[in-house]
Amino acid sequence: LIDASRELGEARRFRARILALTLAENGAELAARQMVTRTSTNANATNAQGTMSAEMRKTPSSGLEQFTIVGTGESTGLEKSQSKVTLTGHIEGNKITIVFAQHSHD
């Protein structure tokens, strides 16, 4: 019984972490939808699994537009978890290049 309770807790924490990461990535995708046509945007959404939000900012730099997208996600349920994804890169015309991606978990 003790082992089963511990394993159930581990499974809940794992599920919460995966959901939070997925929500953070989905938030980043929502912000990225406007990347070619806008210089900045914010995106927020909520579903049964949790909340997601993101911010996208672009800055001109030597012929290329540099961008940063920061997406966050928070899972709901018995075990709550938060994750963050940061994407940086550049845009040349309609060609988007992600140079660096960082994932973190709280």
Side-chain angles (χ1 to χ4, degrees):
L1 185 58
I2 292 170
D3 284 343
S5 294
R6 181 185 49 78
E7 288 178 14
L8 180 59
E10 288 175 8
R12 284 182 179 147
R13 285 186 292 280
F14 178 76
R15 180 182 182 277
R17 284 193 309 269
I18 296 301
L19 279 175
L21 179 58
T22 302
L23 290 165
E25 290 175 346
N26 288 346
E29 288 179 16
L30 286 174
R33 290 177 62 196
Q34 309 279 331
M35 206 164 13
V36 174
T37 59
R38 293 187 174 183
T39 57
S40 66
T41 190
N42 293 314
N44 299 296
T46 301
N47 63 26
Q49 303 298 324
T51 60
M52 62 192 95
S53 62
E55 180 180 14
M56 183 275 300
R57 298 277 180 243
K58 293 191 307 189
T59 54
S61 174
S62 65
L64 298 175
E65 285 185 296
Q66 304 294 324
F67 70 84
T68 301
I69 300 174
V70 178
T72 59
E74 183 174 350
S75 62
T76 58
L78 293 174
E79 294 287 336
K80 293 181 175 33
S81 185
Q82 295 179 338
S83 286
K84 178 175 150 180
V85 61
T86 304
L87 304 171
T88 58
H90 59 268
I91 303 170
E92 186 174 10
N94 286 336
K95 182 181 175 189
I96 299 169
T97 303
I98 296 173
V99 176
F100 184 73
Q102 179 182 14
H103 294 79
S104 61
H105 179 73
D106 296 335

